[in-house]
Amino acid sequence: MALAAKILLVIASIGLIIVVLLQSGKSAGLSGAIGGGAEQLMGKQKARGIDALLGKLTVVFAVGFMIFAILLGYFLKSGA
């Protein structure tokens, strides 16, 4: 059981790293507002949907990481 928790912890941590790196920075909104209006009118809705999806995936991977880390600590402490 500890091996399964280790594997799931590694998957959750790699997923969390990838999702966080794919997100755009908070300062990207300011440069987009100064840069041009065409992208803001046409491409903003698509970017908002992707950012929302990445935000939700970040929460899912973070919760999974915390749960698997706690389970792994429990299994290693109990000797199972």
Side-chain angles (χ1 to χ4, degrees), residues 3-52:
L3 180 63
K6 286 180 187 178
I7 292 171
L8 291 173
L9 183 66
V10 169
I11 291 171
S13 62
I14 291 172
L16 185 62
I17 290 169
I18 290 171
V19 170
V20 167
L21 288 177
L22 285 176
Q23 290 180 2
S24 62
K26 295 295 181 188
S27 63
L30 182 60
S31 65
I34 295 172
E39 183 179 325
Q40 186 176 5
L41 291 175
M42 302 279 187
K44 196 66 169 176
Q45 188 72 351
K46 184 177 179 182
R48 190 178 309 141
I50 292 172
D51 285 340

Side-chain angles (χ1 to χ4, degrees), residues 32-68:
I34 295 172
E39 183 179 325
Q40 186 176 5
L41 291 175
M42 302 279 187
K44 196 66 169 176
Q45 188 72 351
K46 184 177 179 182
R48 190 178 309 141
I50 292 172
D51 285 340
L53 175 66
L54 289 175
K56 290 177 185 176
L57 283 175
T58 302
V59 171
V60 168
F61 280 120
V63 169
F65 179 81
M66 288 185 285
I67 290 172
F68 295 134

